[in-house]
Amino acid sequence: MKDLLIRNLASLATSTGSKPRGGKEMGEILEIENPWVLIREGKIYRIGQEELLQEAPDADILDATGQTLLPGFVDPHTHLVFGGTREEEFSMRLRGESYMAIMEKGGGIKYTVRKTHEASFNELLENGMKTLKSMAEMGITTVEAKSGYGLDRETELKQLRVARELNEAGLLEVVSTFMGAHDIPMEYKGRDKAFLDYMVDEVLPKVIDENLAEFGDIFTEKNVFSVEDSREYLKKMRDMGLKLKIHADEINDLGGAALAAELSLTSADHLLKANDEGLGMMKEKGVIPVLLPLTAFSLKEDFARAREMIDMGLPVAMGTDYNPGSCYSFSIPLMLSLGCLKMGMSPEEALTAVTLNSASALDRAHRIGTIEVGKDADLILIDAPSYRFLTYHFGMNLVTTTIKRGKIIHRK
Ligand code: NIG
Ligand code: FE
């Protein structure tokens, strides 16, 4: 692989370190003016000035006059692989029907489960590839992908195998999460525990056998899975070797945040309704809050309390939650704008949330999420003289170039 030398940058901006940053530290961004950056073997090799030309006389040159270099965005929460779309449901919600009411009537997640069941492996793969390409245009270099639109063995495995193939395609890095406990299928209605046992006994062993997932997740919510059942199920997934996440306190405050802390999960996601005690416990146990403002926006719910969480010292991360129902969008520009204009984050905090802290939510902060020598060269260029334009020029996609492990995967 040839070296790549990025020259004439207006600036570079990044969080630093390999650990999640909470509280005041979230706002500390390293900014370097007019740097040159040398990439070797897919890694950030040196940050310097013109002298890097001597170091790598044969390097490919990327001229970045007037542009700013940032770490590639890490999206730590999506439901990337699914069949069908739910535009009718969106209209129903606009007319005032609630997300949970639609779900209880057999729509919502259950509709996508039927469509995902019907879709062929190749259809899912093609759709997924198309999505990854537009994600790359948006500056995303790593994305998490959950199963959970199968709810039976065959379809859960199909989704996860598609995600694995998407990862192997080498465009973006795709991190797989097993979320067989996303909803309770009709045939298990009223028998939640039996359904979770089925997942543990019949599906999970195959997932582990084929090495199809790194994380496990569950939708802990009223009329879905209780805290008690979630606790047992999460422990079993951990015993089988998975790292853990939870959809917590999204629609109702069930105490999901406290459960996440009790079990020291890697992250607790959504948290729209999370209470102070649960959040305090998360802080104690180092659980990363993954906030999903695009979902709150789409569901017309109040936003998660990012400002308060950061002031409590929590290392807030942000993700898109891309899925066909509650959030049919992976707009990073809109997400960053909501983070700043509706959730009280500073531009610096928003940048940390979608890079270093989201990398931490995927247990990858040692390798991605910042621009530092030795880390993967997962980088983006934005057409602006400083990172401040990311949120100031709101709602705009400023990304001109996306680089994954030293390879240019998108160029405008
Ligand atoms: O994160 N809350 C549960 N799961 C998804 C939505 C899935 C869907 O509506 O299809 C979420 O919001
Ligand atoms: Fe989700």
Side-chain angles (χ1 to χ4, degrees):
M1 194 178 187
K2 265 184 103 177
D3 291 347
L4 179 65
L5 182 58
I6 308 176
R7 73 168 180 199
N8 295 340
L9 279 156
S11 70
L12 166 168
T14 181
S15 290
T16 53
S18 297
K19 288 200 299 264
R21 283 180 169 258
K24 281 206 170 53
E25 283 197 345
M26 252 189 98
E28 291 166 8
I29 292 290
L30 169 72
E31 195 177 17
I32 305 174
E33 280 180 17
N34 308 120
W36 292 41
V37 175
L38 179 59
I39 295 164
R40 181 165 289 171
E41 298 300 338
K43 303 269 183 202
I44 299 161
Y45 184 70
R46 287 230 197 294
I47 299 169
Q49 302 278 308
E50 269 185 79
E51 78 283 352
L52 293 182
L53 253 184
Q54 275 103 62
E55 186 125 4
D58 299 327
D60 284 335
I61 304 280
L62 183 58
D63 188 81
T65 304
Q67 303 195 51
T68 294
L69 191 73
L70 302 173
F73 298 132
V74 178
D75 187 348
H77 183 138
T78 83
H79 305 253
L80 178 71
V81 179
F82 55 81
T85 48
R86 284 160 37 202
E87 57 279 20
E88 286 308 321
E89 183 186 313
F90 185 74
S91 297
M92 284 160 76
R93 287 201 286 107
L94 291 180
R95 290 195 295 268
E97 286 217 47
S98 81
Y99 175 74
M100 289 311 275
I102 294 167
M103 182 165 164
E104 277 151 32
K105 279 191 283 189
I109 294 177
K110 288 185 173 63
Y111 177 85
T112 303
V113 168
R114 286 198 293 281
K115 290 292 174 185
T116 308
H117 187 83
E118 285 162 21
S120 71
F121 182 91
N122 282 334
E123 279 163 6
L124 294 175
L125 188 63
E126 262 172 45
N127 277 337
M129 232 17 246
K130 211 171 132 195
T131 304
L132 291 188
K133 282 183 191 145
S134 2
M135 284 181 161
E137 290 169 16
M138 202 86 70
I140 297 171
T141 46
T142 299
V143 60
E144 186 250 19
K146 300 177 194 296
S147 70
Y149 290 128
L151 311 185
D152 65 27
R153 183 164 78 167
E154 188 196 335
T155 318
E156 284 295 309
L157 293 176
K158 177 170 71 178
Q159 263 192 290
L160 289 170
R161 287 176 187 139
V162 167
R164 175 168 63 193
E165 195 143 326
L166 288 171
N167 180 49
E168 285 168 358
L171 188 70
L172 303 196
E173 188 172 341
V174 179
V175 182
S176 286
T177 295
F178 170 61
M179 199 180 176
H182 194 196
D183 192 9
I184 302 154
M186 286 302 188
E187 57 277 26
Y188 277 95
K189 205 169 174 1
R191 298 190 295 130
D192 317 8
K193 261 205 155 81
F195 176 65
L196 292 177
D197 286 345
Y198 162 73
M199 280 293 152
V200 170
D201 297 337
E202 307 290 333
V203 188
L204 199 48
K206 205 67 188 130
V207 172
I208 301 294
D209 247 26
E210 286 186 40
N211 200 10
L212 283 170
E214 181 173 335
F215 290 91
D217 196 343
I218 184 166
F219 190 13
T220 304
E221 185 55 65
K222 199 166 150 202
N223 293 331
V224 195
F225 298 104
S226 70
V227 165
E228 294 67 37
D229 288 352
S230 300
R231 177 184 290 110
E232 292 318 306
Y233 180 73
L234 285 162
K235 282 187 191 163
K236 285 178 186 161
M237 287 200 290
R238 174 171 282 162
D239 288 344
M240 302 280 282
L242 296 180
K243 294 178 260 186
L244 301 173
K245 298 177 166 291
I246 183 172
H247 279 59
D249 307 326
E250 176 182 1
I251 321 274
N252 296 284
D253 175 15
L254 290 200
L259 177 64
E262 177 194 323
L263 299 179
S264 294
L265 307 191
T266 303
S267 75
D269 301 28
H270 285 291
L271 302 172
L272 298 183
K273 303 283 161 38
N275 62 56
D276 288 349
E277 197 191 342
L279 293 175
M281 290 168 68
M282 280 175 54
K283 159 88 177 42
E284 288 310 303
K285 293 298 191 68
V287 182
I288 296 173
V290 174
L291 306 188
L292 309 165
L294 294 173
T295 310
F297 181 65
S298 165
L299 295 178
K300 298 199 279 184
E301 293 282 344
D302 289 338
F303 292 95
R305 297 180 291 145
R307 182 73 263 142
E308 286 170 59
M309 293 183 199
I310 296 170
D311 291 342
M312 285 172 70
L314 279 158
V316 166
M318 279 199 288
T320 66
D321 196 20
Y322 173 61
N323 75 73
S326 65
C327 185
Y328 192 50
S329 174
F330 47 85
S331 171
I332 296 282
L334 179 56
M335 182 179 90
L336 293 170
S337 295
L338 294 174
C340 290
L341 293 166
K342 292 290 183 186
M343 294 161 81
M345 299 168 86
S346 68
E348 292 75 18
E349 288 164 345
L351 180 60
T352 301
V354 75
T355 55
L356 176 63
N357 286 356
S358 48
S360 307
L362 294 181
D363 196 20
R364 277 164 170 66
H366 56 287
R367 181 159 63 72
I368 57 174
T370 65
I371 306 178
E372 290 173 290
V373 169
K375 281 207 180 176
D376 282 5
D378 286 11
L379 304 164
I380 58 175
L381 286 170
I382 59 166
D383 190 11
S386 98
Y387 71 91
R388 292 170 187 83
F389 284 74
L390 256 191
T391 39
Y392 163 53
H393 203 20
F394 66 86
M396 310 298 290
N397 183 11
L398 301 180
V399 176
T400 65
T401 310
T402 306
I403 300 171
K404 178 68 189 170
R405 292 194 185 110
K407 199 173 131 205
I408 297 172
I409 58 166
H410 160 68
R411 186 114 201 242
K412 204 160 113 183

